[in-house]
Amino acid sequence: GTIASDGALSGTTITGSGVLSIDDDTDSSSTTTGSIHTDGGLGVAKKSFFGGAIDVTHTDDGSTNLNNMASFKTTDSNGPRLRLRAVDGEINFLTTWATSGVDMDMSFSTTNAAGASTEAMRIDATNSNATFAGDISIDGTTDSSSTTTGSIHTDGGLGVAKETWLGDLLTIEGGATSGNGIHVKGTSSPRVRIEETANTVYMDMVVDTTSGYIGTGSNDGLVIRTNNVAAITIDTSQNGTYAGVISVDD
């Protein structure tokens, strides 16, 4: 039946097969306030809906355990999911902690207006590598003056599968080893091109299966300088002018 009380109801254990409804609207500001509070834990077998904020009080004990923190567990092999939902959309955090010696990745997904969810980023549990499904945009404008400065810098190398555009100076910081510098590789006449875009004048360094070439690819002459002075000038008809003396030792 129904138990009605105008005052406090005390008991060791309360067991019921129906619905427990509390009409008191006292808000909670701590673990000991609110219309319902307990000195122990709270176990809920099914879904829970909260109309206000959820605050997790955690006292730092200097350890790395998850006591007094928010912990999401599931037996589903796909991992637990934390979903933050607003009127216009939602964001999902999908992860599984490494348990029983099994490394599990962390995944972040986004949901579009049609409700379709797409994985946006995954962090590998083995080596902490992050993989992004879309573009990465860095709005920081810090310029670079070394290998450890700039809006992006890495302690390792950089691999780029497609074209790269740089808006300013490219500096290669070399040392005593022969591996420092620019190395261009390709299977079909790889080239280095320097272009002046206002008048479409460009010079190429090209290699094929038998030879290496250097010269203008546009209909312009080629000037070879020493000490910033023209030493050899070659026009578009391949006529050469030498500024100094030509010596033949043989």
Side-chain angles (χ1 to χ4, degrees):
T2 301
I3 299 176
S5 175
D6 293 333
L9 179 64
S10 300
T12 303
T13 302
I14 300 176
T15 303
S17 60
V19 176
L20 174 62
S21 179
I22 307 296
D23 292 330
D24 182 84
D25 62 358
T26 302
D27 210 348
S28 178
S29 58
S30 67
T31 58
T32 57
T33 58
S35 59
I36 297 179
H37 52 89
T38 173
D39 292 340
L42 175 65
V44 180
K46 294 191 176 182
K47 291 181 178 180
S48 297
F49 287 82
F50 296 86
I54 300 176
D55 293 324
V56 179
T57 302
H58 169 62
T59 302
D60 188 4
D61 57 5
S63 67
T64 58
N65 60 48
L66 297 178
N67 294 336
N68 299 326
M69 289 185 174
S71 177
F72 300 88
K73 297 181 179 180
T74 181
T75 57
D76 188 346
S77 60
N78 292 322
R81 184 185 302 270
L82 171 62
R83 175 172 292 173
L84 306 179
R85 178 175 293 174
V87 175
D88 297 328
E90 63 186 37
I91 183 170
N92 295 311
F93 300 90
L94 176 64
T95 181
T96 304
W97 295 102
T99 57
S100 302
V102 178
D103 290 333
M104 305 297 288
D105 297 348
M106 176 180 287
S107 173
F108 298 86
S109 64
T110 57
T111 304
N112 61 19
S117 181
T118 303
E119 183 177 87
M121 182 181 72
R122 176 172 291 270
I123 302 176
D124 183 86
T126 304
N127 48 32
S128 298
N129 290 337
T131 302
F132 296 83
D135 298 334
I136 300 175
S137 179
I138 307 297
D139 292 331
T141 59
T142 303
D143 211 346
S144 178
S145 58
S146 68
T147 58
T148 57
T149 58
S151 58
I152 298 178
H153 51 89
T154 173
D155 292 338
L158 176 65
V160 181
K162 296 190 176 183
E163 293 185 359
T164 302
W165 290 79
L166 302 177
D168 211 325
L169 179 67
L170 170 64
T171 301
I172 307 295
E173 185 178 272
T177 61
S178 59
N180 293 311
I182 299 176
H183 188 182
V184 179
K185 295 182 179 180
T187 57
S188 179
S189 299
R191 74 181 59 216
V192 175
R193 171 166 292 181
I194 303 173
E195 182 174 357
E196 194 276 323
T197 57
N199 299 288
T200 318
V201 179
Y202 56 88
M203 184 184 76
D204 291 334
M205 289 187 292
V206 188
V207 294
D208 60 18
T209 56
T210 59
S211 303
Y213 308 87
I214 183 171
T216 56
S218 57
N219 187 25
D220 298 282
L222 175 67
V223 178
I224 300 175
R225 295 177 176 180
T226 60
N227 197 26
N228 204 29
V229 176
I232 303 173
T233 301
I234 304 173
D235 62 22
T236 56
S237 297
Q238 291 73 52
N239 297 316
T241 301
Y242 296 81
V245 178
I246 300 176
S247 298
V248 180
D249 293 333
D250 187 2

